[in-house]
Amino acid sequence: MTLGILVWVLFFGFWEFAVWQNWANDILLPGPGKVLSALHTLFTEKAFLYDVGVSVTRILLSFALACLVAVPLGILMGSFRTVEAFFNPLVSAWRYLPAPAFIPLLLMWLGAGDAQKLALLFLGVVWFLTTLIMDHTKSVPADFVRTAVTLGGNRLQVLRTVVVPAALPGILVAMRQMLAVSWTYLVIAEIIAADVGIGAMMMRAKRFLHVDQIMAGIVVIGALGLLFDFLLKKFHGIAFAYLEENVR
């Protein structure tokens, strides 16, 4: 905890020192104080809270849609070789296609509204999440499955009562990892023909060289990402407390 705080103290200290030494134009590199002041102005005078709410809604909705596809598909691919053999070539190919490359097509197909942004965030996450969940499902000890079969369980029963519960901790870890990736796509999704959202605010600030507001937006995205990561980590610890006990 102390070391974690220390690294941020050093980071902000170096940032302030760089500004004090005039290593860059103060318009292009405002100090931490100016960024905090800009953040206060955004929330109190620029209705930035609404932008934040829109961005969070886009993240949560797109990620929920990705999970609705990736979780069952990943579990089935990790549990049954025929399902993996059928879907894996498709999933593997899509993983190597950069989601931003689809922006022109998404704009033509879906327009510049929320549907295009949700689709981009969805494409940026779903294929990697599917693969991670498949791998976590495969990592369920084979002894668990053999024991369940020996006790008379059929495929569906083994999947429901053994494989899924054993894979759930890993699935939640995969979701936590990919939610972080979803935040990295947020600005890309919102800088294209967006009127609201954190990315849209940053693009408006760019037009007038308000670098302090751009940095404030970056700070907010980082803070929100850390908050969601913290909440998922806490939920993992509560839901799977027995794993924490085993570590101790």
Side-chain angles (χ1 to χ4, degrees), residues 177-242:
Q177 292 169 337
M178 293 312 302
L179 183 59
V181 174
S182 188
W183 279 103
T184 66
Y185 278 108
L186 178 66
V187 175
I188 298 175
E190 291 185 339
I191 63 175
I192 307 297
D195 297 323
V196 292
I198 300 175
M201 181 281 295
M202 294 168 69
M203 290 303 294
R204 290 195 300 268
K206 172 183 172 291
R207 296 189 195 113
F208 302 100
L209 287 180
H210 290 165
V211 179
D212 52 350
Q213 293 184 8
I214 296 173
M215 288 186 168
I218 294 172
V219 168
V220 170
I221 291 174
L224 288 171
L226 286 173
L227 175 62
F228 278 89
D229 184 77
F230 173 79
L231 292 175
L232 278 177
K233 185 177 180 180
K234 279 293 182 184
F235 178 74
H236 187 281
I238 294 171
F240 309 109
Y242 60 91

Side-chain angles (χ1 to χ4, degrees), residues 1-13:
M1 180 68 175
T2 303
L3 290 175
I5 295 173
L6 177 61
V7 71
W8 282 109
V9 171
L10 292 173
F11 173 79
F12 284 109

